[in-house]
Amino acid sequence: MHDGETAVRVEVRQAYAAAARRFAEGAGGCCGPDCGDRAAGAPAEPGFYTATDRERLSDATLLASLGCGNPTAVAALVEGETVLDLGSGGGIDVILSARRVGPSGVVYGLDMTDEMLALARRNAAEAGVANVHFLRGHIEDVPLPSNSVDVVISNCVINLSGDKPAVLAEIARVLRPGGRVGVSDVVAEDRLTPAERAERGSWAGCIAGALSKGEYEAGLRRAGLEDVEVEFTHEIADGLHAAIVRARKPA
């Protein structure tokens, strides 16, 4: 364990490094060490991305998706915007975002796992997108200036953090005034206690660390964001759902 690292961060890093190695070998995978942790743990289901999106992505890029939705559609990206993808993994949402914002826009992908960053850079190079930058770092301490991005996206990653207030505060910090959040994540029903969430799956499997709907909404507001929405899309375990999360930084 590196100095200052928590057990949660080490568990997540090891799980995703192993997943990246499997993807590099052409094998499928899941969010955590136990594929039974969540139904969305397999490579991206067709419903998450449009047929056009899938046709423009390599098989290797699609295989490396561990998400639970399509944040590029949730965020309604437009040409010329600057986008930050928290926990960019194999790069699928960075590549799609880069195409949506066009050559006048820019997309940053942030990940803490060297193996995932290497995989994402290879996938982006094969996709021929030049307006992307992959950064090594933690979503609790984003290596970008304040007020520097128009949109923050993330795909089933915020639930993996052991310090979600820090993540939400960083989102608010890096967003420009009027900037927005478009996130896909695993969210629990308010009836489930943290212990009950942990009974349903591991932290690295995107279950034990999931916020409840009410916790998510309150956390975004405490971070200074407004127009907060958390909408369940489909159930992935008893009381746990893939969800769309939206918010905006006051102008």
Side-chain angles (χ1 to χ4, degrees):
M1 186 181 300
H2 300 144
D3 290 344
E5 283 204 321
T6 65
V8 165
R9 183 176 285 174
V10 171
E11 175 189 344
V12 171
R13 187 199 304 278
Q14 290 175 344
Y16 283 85
R21 289 191 290 269
R22 289 196 301 271
F23 297 147
E25 295 168 358
C30 60
C31 181
D34 179 1
C35 291
D37 274 352
R38 65 184 182 98
E45 296 178 13
F48 293 156
Y49 299 99
T50 67
T52 300
D53 284 339
R54 298 197 309 275
E55 288 169 1
R56 299 175 69 186
L57 294 166
S58 69
D59 290 342
T61 302
L62 284 168
L63 187 70
S65 174
L66 291 168
C68 55
N70 181 359
T72 64
V74 171
L77 303 177
V78 298
E79 190 168 345
E81 290 188 312
T82 298
V83 180
L84 168 64
D85 182 11
L86 297 178
S88 49
I92 184 171
D93 294 314
V94 170
I95 294 168
L96 291 175
S97 297
R99 288 174 171 156
R100 289 177 187 267
V101 301
S104 62
V106 65
V107 183
Y108 295 96
L110 176 65
D111 207 283
M112 69 174 180
T113 308
D114 291 330
E115 291 86 348
M116 278 295 184
L117 287 167
L119 179 64
R121 290 184 177 115
R122 183 164 64 249
N123 287 337
E126 291 176 356
V129 292
N131 56 333
V132 302
H133 304 279
F134 289 100
L135 309 173
R136 189 184 190 283
H138 301 119
I139 64 175
E140 301 86 357
D141 185 17
V142 177
L144 288 174
S146 299
N147 306 312
S148 60
V149 303
D150 299 300
V151 188
V152 174
I153 66 171
S154 186
N155 199 344
C156 205
V157 171
I158 294 175
N159 68 79
L160 298 171
S161 173
D163 188 354
K164 294 175 183 66
V167 177
L168 301 181
E170 281 293 89
I171 290 173
R173 181 186 68 80
V174 300
L175 278 174
R176 293 176 178 137
R180 64 194 185 279
V181 178
V183 164
S184 298
D185 209 359
V186 174
V187 180
E189 296 175 15
D190 290 332
R191 65 182 174 86
L192 292 187
T193 66
E196 289 170 330
R197 298 169 215 171
E199 290 172 355
R200 286 159 169 75
S202 73
W203 200 291
C206 305
I207 298 295
L211 291 171
S212 72
K213 184 176 185 290
E215 290 167 346
Y216 226 131
E217 292 168 340
L220 288 164
R221 293 190 179 104
R222 276 195 299 269
L225 301 175
E226 62 184 15
D227 298 334
V228 172
E229 299 177 18
V230 178
E231 176 188 352
F232 294 153
T233 58
H234 57 278
E235 189 174 60
I236 60 173
D238 177 31
L240 288 133
H241 303 257
I244 291 168
V245 180
R246 295 185 178 95
R248 186 176 297 273
K249 185 172 180 175

